Amino acid sequence: MADTLTIRTPGLATVQDLGRVGRSRYGLPAGGAADQHSARVANVLCGNDDRAPLLEITAFDFACVPSADILVAVTGAPADVTVDGSARSQWEPVSVCAGETLRVSGIRRGLRVYLAVLGSFEADYLQGSCAPDTILGFGPALSAGDELVLRAACPPLDHPYSRIPLFRLHAPVPPFPASWTIDVTDGPDRAEFGDTASRLFDAPFTVSPRSNHIGLRLLGEVPRRVTQGEILSRGVPIGAVEVPAGDELLVLHRGRGVTAGYPVLAVVTATGLSALGQVRPGQSIRFRHRTLDQAVTAHRAQRGAVDALRTRVRTAFDALRIRAPDTA
């Protein structure tokens, strides 16, 4: 029989990957991990392909038990990670022996935690991705007793006496501040807001409890459109900062529909989107204007840090003779 990862405390956890690239033309939302940086790093720390399936754990406590020895990595928001009650590090590979309970609890300062397993696990796919699609009813949240079929096992990698962690790979850990700063570039309709466009940057906004993976609702001093006329429905990008007629801003995230008819004042950058995926309801955010060149430079720097981490992981895994199957 295949080895499995059995869910004991599901909290609010789903099987995720980086989403459906290029499927917007067919009307499908991209979906995928809300914090793409943390998800990508978790897989890299396990020697997996960036797009391998992993778990996204949102807000609530989670626990699972493997039937074989495995190597995992837990990234994302700060949390308490334990293996049979012993504390383990985030943002580094961690050994879990068969029958031990891996627990993630006390998620704080951010909203989501990512759990990757060396070799990943089997998952169902829709249009090239295992990411859930709530509209189509694909990829429901995990339940207690669910079993994920593991693709690989890994002998325990732990110092038998001193309990010194084996890895110090220096993953690029982003900040998790009390108040977030989210980078944006100009949207296509900025000119339609006249002088009120500056309100986007003048004061913080508060995240509404009605926010979700489709988009965040923000309360604050909302910019106002000064031109007249209707806006035809059109394609909108992930990260679009929309301004409806009411008293909220809408920031579309990875579950967004592919068309909309509200004016788009700004667009969140790629690095800003990962940060936005960690913002909790009730927290405040400020927007910071960036040029396209600045946004591209920041994205390249973040991806470069992940690529450098991948090289360090490969070197360490080769030295330890750790081999992961192809997880692409």
Side-chain angles (χ1 to χ4, degrees):
M1 294 180 64
D3 289 311
T4 60
L5 188 70
T6 302
I7 309 303
R8 297 299 191 209
T9 304
L12 182 56
T14 55
V15 174
Q16 284 283 7
D17 58 17
L18 298 184
R20 294 177 179 86
V21 178
R23 297 305 196 271
S24 292
R25 72 186 71 178
Y26 306 122
L28 286 174
D35 179 355
Q36 298 262 299
H37 175 71
S38 293
R40 194 182 301 273
V41 170
N43 267 324
V44 168
L45 285 168
C46 287
N48 297 339
D49 182 85
D50 292 18
R51 299 188 60 82
L54 78 170
L55 298 183
E56 182 179 75
I57 303 163
T58 302
F60 300 107
D61 294 354
F62 171 87
C64 61
V65 177
S67 66
D69 301 336
I70 58 173
L71 191 72
V72 305
V74 180
T75 64
D80 300 317
V81 180
T82 61
V83 176
D84 265 8
S86 296
R88 294 291 186 266
S89 298
Q90 287 183 264
W91 299 89
E92 297 286 2
V94 171
S95 280
V96 183
C97 293
E100 291 183 331
T101 299
L102 170 63
R103 187 177 301 276
V104 177
S105 59
I107 298 173
R108 54 196 176 272
R109 288 165 44 199
L111 189 60
R112 295 176 171 93
V113 165
Y114 294 88
L115 170 61
V117 182
L118 181 142
S120 191
F121 42 78
E122 300 295 335
D124 295 327
Y125 281 78
L126 171 68
Q127 287 291 307
S129 170
C130 65
D133 187 310
T134 56
I135 303 299
L136 297 178
F138 175 79
L142 295 172
S143 300
D146 284 352
E147 295 183 342
L148 302 174
V149 177
L150 298 169
R151 292 178 177 171
C154 182
L157 297 167
D158 194 18
H159 196 291
Y161 301 110
S162 63
R163 315 303 295 179
I164 296 173
L166 184 63
F167 296 98
R168 284 289 186 266
L169 294 171
H170 305 290
V173 183
F176 288 85
S179 179
W180 296 79
T181 298
I182 305 298
D183 289 344
V184 298
T185 58
D186 288 336
D189 305 317
R190 187 186 188 285
E192 298 192 14
F193 292 87
D195 293 339
T196 75
S198 63
R199 294 180 187 174
L200 187 66
F201 310 106
D202 291 343
F205 291 84
T206 302
V207 180
S208 165
R210 295 197 296 153
S211 301
N212 56 28
H213 68 289
I214 295 174
L216 282 77
R217 296 177 179 270
L218 306 178
L219 305 174
E221 188 66 22
V222 177
R224 296 299 177 190
R225 186 169 177 240
V226 296
T227 59
Q228 302 296 318
E230 294 291 329
I231 294 179
L232 295 177
S233 292
R234 59 196 167 163
V236 288
I238 302 170
V241 180
E242 295 186 325
V243 187
D247 58 356
E248 295 179 325
L249 287 180
L250 299 179
V251 185
L252 303 185
H253 216 283
R254 299 196 62 82
R256 64 82 172 92
V258 298
T259 60
Y262 295 127
V264 178
L265 173 59
V267 179
V268 178
T269 67
T271 53
L273 273 173
S274 286
L276 203 61
Q278 291 290 356
V279 178
R280 300 175 70 97
Q283 284 188 309
S284 65
I285 67 173
R286 298 189 75 106
F287 290 105
R288 179 171 61 183
H289 183 266
R290 285 291 181 261
T291 65
L292 287 176
D293 284 345
Q294 289 173 320
V296 170
T297 297
H299 179 58
R300 286 176 175 169
Q302 189 178 75
R303 291 296 297 270
V306 175
D307 290 340
L309 173 66
R310 184 180 291 107
T311 299
R312 296 194 295 274
V313 170
R314 285 174 179 168
T315 300
F317 281 20
D318 285 346
L320 294 166
R321 298 181 180 178
I322 300 173
R323 294 289 184 268
D326 181 14
T327 57

